[in-house]
Amino acid sequence: MSHHYSGPDYGFPHGDARLDLTDLYAFPKPGGAGKSIVVMNVHPSAGVNPSGPTTREPFSTQAVYELKVDTNGDAVADLAYRVSFSSTNDGSQVATVRRAQGEAAAGDGPGGQTILASARVSTGREALVSEAAGYRFFAGWRSDPFFFDTEGALNNFQFTGRDFFAGKDVCSIVLELPAEALGPTPVGLWQRTLDGRGGTWVQADRGARPSQSVFLTGEQKSDYLAAQPAGDARFAAIFAHSLEHTGGYSPQEAKRVAESLLPDILFYDSRQPASYPHNGRTLTDDVMDGFIALLTNGRVTRDGVEPHRDLLPEFPYLGPPHELA
């Protein structure tokens, strides 16, 4: 399954679907030399056994949605792009995007230099796009680009080619930025949400690679979602045990594969074409075929599902939402 199910017990962290991360994408802007596109998706409109309610309000006004950037390979953020949301008098939402550097980037909260403010959030089919200082920004409901036969996976990998996510929606944060604004390439990227409802900032969810959390249950999953990539080595043994069980790997091979999945960071070089898992991730990369092949040790290699056809050739690239049609 995807990071669509990253929350506790495949539900939503802290009982709020708006804090539930799904997928992270990073790729060079098509036809746009020197620009990169980063897509952070949250708030899925559907899930397996969800434990919290969804809401048509796209984003929490008491949260921070954050892109972390590691520029020197130590799995600690050197840059951070932070998006926070507020409500207007008419009940709509607007976003503020800030950029933090150095030690501040590794911290919590919404701080940083403001690069874009009062960006309107899209709650309809029209994509409301804001621009400032070389950046373009979109936030709002979109067609979920993720594709996978989830029901087949739950039925012992008996795939039928039915895309569970066809017709589903997700909330997207899309940022177009100068490639140099991500720092020296290549870089490591991950996303996280911070929940501020209790008066302090608590990491509700985090991730970069698809499907990492399926190796974990209960307290292990909670610990993983609250952790930082720099400490991910401590989860290698848990991943390896799961791989021995699901894929029939030897202990040595399971350890090797587990260590290849950690830390949970998406590596990206803006100078090269994007293709998961080698460099970034495009909206059409079939990440789940690769994942089920890894999970089953090559016993199963395809789910028969193809990329969605409603993607756009231009910013924000994701198709309009279905439920608002």
Side-chain angles (χ1 to χ4, degrees):
M1 284 122 299
S2 164
H3 214 65
H4 284 75
Y5 310 117
S6 57
D9 299 321
Y10 299 120
F12 301 120
H14 297 251
D16 190 340
R18 297 169 300 175
L19 305 180
D20 186 28
L21 298 167
T22 63
D23 296 278
L24 175 66
Y25 305 85
F27 50 90
K29 178 181 178 180
K35 296 274 191 175
S36 286
I37 307 297
V38 176
V39 179
M40 298 187 291
N41 284 343
V42 300
H43 195 173
S45 66
V48 176
N49 299 324
S51 62
T54 59
T55 170
R56 293 313 297 176
E57 184 180 63
F59 304 97
S60 171
T61 58
Q62 295 175 292
V64 174
Y65 299 80
E66 188 171 30
L67 174 72
K68 295 282 199 181
V69 186
D70 168 28
T71 65
N72 60 13
D74 64 357
V76 176
D78 303 290
L79 296 171
Y81 286 89
R82 294 165 171 160
V83 186
S84 55
F85 296 88
S86 58
S87 298
T88 64
N89 291 334
D90 64 4
S92 61
Q93 290 187 324
V94 293
T96 299
V97 184
R98 297 180 176 90
R99 185 178 190 266
Q101 302 183 68
E103 291 185 7
D108 299 331
Q113 177 187 2
T114 298
I115 60 174
L116 192 145
S118 301
R120 291 191 298 161
V121 171
S122 298
T123 55
R125 290 178 58 81
E126 179 187 3
L128 304 177
V129 177
S130 301
E131 301 185 40
Y135 293 86
R136 301 182 81 193
F137 175 82
F138 167 88
W141 285 103
R142 288 278 97 182
S143 171
D144 193 341
F146 186 73
F147 53 100
F148 185 51
D149 180 1
T150 301
E151 293 173 348
L154 295 174
N155 187 29
N156 197 30
F157 301 108
Q158 301 299 307
F159 293 114
T160 64
R162 179 182 179 274
D163 184 2
F164 180 83
F165 297 93
K168 304 296 194 301
D169 293 332
V170 74
C171 286
S172 298
I173 295 171
V174 187
L175 187 63
E176 176 187 304
L177 67 173
E180 62 269 18
L182 287 174
T185 57
V187 297
L189 307 175
W190 67 98
Q191 60 180 344
R192 70 170 183 165
T193 51
L194 294 174
D195 185 1
R197 288 175 295 176
T200 58
W201 294 108
V202 176
Q203 182 170 292
D205 201 0
R206 61 102 176 191
R209 298 171 179 262
S211 304
Q212 297 287 88
S213 64
V214 302
F215 294 110
L216 306 154
T217 59
E219 269 188 38
Q220 295 173 346
K221 181 175 291 187
S222 298
D223 289 346
Y224 184 83
L225 297 181
Q228 303 300 324
D232 277 351
R234 67 188 176 101
F235 297 102
I238 300 171
F239 277 42
H241 178 76
S242 181
L243 286 165
E244 287 183 53
H245 176 71
T246 59
Y249 287 91
S250 69
Q252 294 78 14
E253 276 296 289
K255 180 176 183 291
R256 181 190 64 79
V257 174
E259 290 175 347
S260 75
L261 296 173
L262 299 167
D264 191 355
I265 288 177
L266 183 70
F267 296 101
Y268 174 60
D269 186 340
S270 63
R271 302 165 298 182
Q272 304 296 327
S275 178
Y276 186 85
H278 307 293
N279 184 42
R281 178 181 174 186
T282 74
L283 297 169
T284 57
D285 284 343
D286 198 334
V287 299
M288 295 310 292
D289 276 2
F291 183 74
I292 59 177
L294 179 148
L295 193 63
T296 65
N297 199 5
R299 189 176 71 253
V300 183
T301 59
R302 296 191 70 249
D303 69 340
V305 178
E306 301 296 329
H308 294 173
R309 298 181 179 179
D310 60 354
L311 298 172
L312 304 179
E314 57 191 19
F315 194 89
Y317 303 103
L318 294 88
H322 300 275
E323 294 186 18
L324 303 177

